[in-house]
Amino acid sequence: MFEEEQEPEFEIFSALLFNSLKAITFMFFISFAMINDPADEGKVDPKAEMMITVTWPDDNPDDVDTYVEDPAGNIVWYNQREGGLMNLERDDRGMFKDVILLNGKEISNPLNQESVAFRGLQDGEYVVNVVHYIANGSAPLPVTVKVEKLNPTVKVIFYQTLEMKGTGDEQTAVRFTLAGPDVINVVSTPKSLVELTRSSGGKGGGGGSIGAGQGGSIDATTGQVIQE
């Protein structure tokens, strides 16, 4: 009788090793697929149709405010940061509490900028005003206003620098009308939005008066008004 041929031990070991490698490779692939791309962590991708950006000189302690009215009469400003489809993304108070955290340390942020984003568009007229809420000097303050339509491509529909004249000064930077995809009637006819926010009938109402009893300057470290 013939004896049954024995399979060499090294072939059994090779087969076990090969199957183990396949299992490890498969588990590694599954684990890798479940790992999020670090570049995407914390990424914010908000949808915006238009953006209004208001800037003034770096390290300037003056407080400048942005007011925007939509066709429905909604007004966004520092005391009403959401209205209709508009959002005041940043309210900058000059150098007051204007710090950023870097490597665990607070450092002063020299940039002075406010921005308003439109999450959707509504046909009708929009009004963009700038208010020199508190001035810390007598010299005019240059404030730049930019209005961009972002979709389907970025288009600057207004860009201009205003000379703000001191505490309480309110200027209409631009008024424009949306008609479907078109922007028409781009003008700068004055219209006070501060008065509307202070009236009981305004949709962005609430708050005190601009410049009244402010004394004309503010301590950038405490935020307290310096009486003159």
Side-chain angles (χ1 to χ4, degrees):
M1 299 297 291
F2 294 100
E3 293 184 359
E4 184 178 353
E5 184 178 354
Q6 299 293 326
E7 186 176 355
E9 293 184 1
F10 74 91
E11 292 186 4
I12 297 175
F13 177 78
S14 298
L16 289 174
L17 179 61
F18 179 71
N19 290 331
S20 297
L21 288 175
K22 288 198 297 182
I24 293 173
T25 302
F26 178 75
M27 293 174 64
F28 177 79
F29 175 79
I30 295 298
S31 300
F32 184 79
M34 296 178 65
I35 297 176
N36 292 327
D37 187 349
D40 291 336
E41 293 182 2
K43 182 179 179 181
V44 178
D45 188 19
K47 181 179 183 296
E49 298 294 334
M50 294 190 72
M51 181 70 70
I52 297 171
T53 308
V54 175
T55 58
W56 60 104
D58 294 353
D59 291 317
N60 189 291
D62 288 13
D63 187 350
V64 175
D65 290 321
T66 306
Y67 286 63
V68 183
E69 181 186 37
D70 71 7
N74 298 299
I75 301 175
V76 293
W77 54 301
Y78 67 85
N79 204 37
Q80 183 71 37
R81 300 184 64 160
E82 296 184 6
L85 298 172
M86 306 180 299
N87 293 83
L88 176 61
E89 302 289 318
R90 174 174 169 79
D91 174 33
D92 197 310
R93 301 175 63 185
M95 299 305 296
F96 176 57
K97 293 185 177 180
D98 203 354
V99 295
I100 56 178
L101 191 64
L102 182 63
N103 296 328
K105 296 182 179 179
E106 287 189 348
I107 61 174
S108 177
N109 178 14
L111 301 178
N112 288 319
Q113 175 177 294
E114 294 199 350
S115 58
V116 176
F118 293 13
R119 304 304 182 194
L121 300 179
Q122 179 181 0
D123 284 358
E125 185 185 56
Y126 293 79
V127 183
V128 181
N129 281 15
V130 176
V131 177
H132 201 168
Y133 186 71
I134 295 178
N136 288 275
S138 57
L141 177 70
V143 177
T144 300
V145 180
K146 179 171 64 174
V147 181
E148 300 170 282
K149 192 172 185 293
L150 305 180
N151 295 310
T153 58
V154 177
K155 179 181 180 181
V156 178
I157 64 174
F158 179 82
Y159 185 86
Q160 185 174 322
T161 299
L162 308 177
E163 294 289 333
M164 307 304 295
K165 299 178 176 61
T167 299
D169 183 27
E170 178 185 11
Q171 296 186 32
T172 297
V174 63
R175 298 168 68 168
F176 60 90
T177 300
L178 293 180
D182 300 321
V183 180
I184 59 176
N185 298 331
V186 181
V187 298
S188 296
T189 306
K191 177 181 180 179
S192 176
L193 298 183
V194 172
E195 292 182 2
L196 292 178
T197 59
R198 302 311 187 255
S199 66
S200 58
K203 294 187 179 181
S209 59
I210 291 288
Q214 297 296 330
S217 60
I218 188 171
D219 188 324
T221 59
T222 65
Q224 300 298 316
V225 174
I226 301 174
Q227 299 297 333
E228 297 179 350

